[in-house]
Amino acid sequence: QVQVVESGGGLVQAGGSLRLSCAASGPIYRLNAMAWYRQGPGTGRDLVASITRTGITNYADSVKGRFTISRDNTKNTVYLQMNSLTPEDTAVYSCNIEGQLSHLSRPGFSTWGQGTQVTVYS
């Protein structure tokens, strides 16, 4: 019932930047951990960055120092600022959101977005 929509992907020159957004909507009581994953050509889906409800972050070694994950709890949105992009960053980026629904029992949920394409050219 919770919907997750990514945006901000596109075509960018190597060395450039993009900012991805992932907005959650629906009967949400509280969002907990949020994360960005990516799947490139011939690769599995790998964790890029994650952020807890209180702002504790974790990054894959390959993006550390270049990418920044952040969140706006008032907007139910997580962002991924990507700088110094290289062709190796080309992938479909998807966000995963965990939280609790706005029902009496506050059941937990984990929902994926459909992904946004990021293509980096030399």
Side-chain angles (χ1 to χ4, degrees), residues 2-119:
V2 173
Q3 294 182 318
V4 178
V5 179
E6 302 99 335
S7 63
L11 186 66
V12 64
Q13 189 174 15
S17 299
L18 284 174
R19 188 168 91 142
L20 307 182
S21 299
C22 176
S25 61
I28 299 169
Y29 172 73
R30 187 179 73 177
L31 297 179
N32 295 324
M34 299 192 287
W36 287 96
Y37 291 75
R38 68 184 181 186
Q39 184 168 5
T43 68
R45 179 182 284 163
D46 298 320
L47 178 68
V48 177
S50 63
I51 185 168
T52 69
R53 181 174 57 84
T54 56
I56 301 172
T57 59
N58 182 55
Y59 297 93
D61 288 340
S62 59
V63 306
K64 196 171 299 182
R66 298 188 298 120
F67 291 10
T68 302
I69 188 171
S70 61
R71 63 190 288 166
D72 186 340
N73 291 331
T74 68
K75 299 179 179 179
N76 290 337
T77 300
V78 61
Y79 306 95
L80 185 67
Q81 178 67 47
M82 305 185 295
N83 298 326
S84 301
L85 287 163
T86 74
E88 288 70 36
D89 296 315
T90 295
V92 175
Y93 286 72
S94 303
C95 68
N96 175 261
I97 294 179
E98 299 176 346
Q100 294 173 276
L101 299 177
S102 295
H103 299 292
L104 192 61
S105 63
R106 304 286 190 258
F109 70 89
S110 178
T111 301
W112 289 90
Q114 294 188 0
T116 183
Q117 175 71 47
V118 172
T119 302

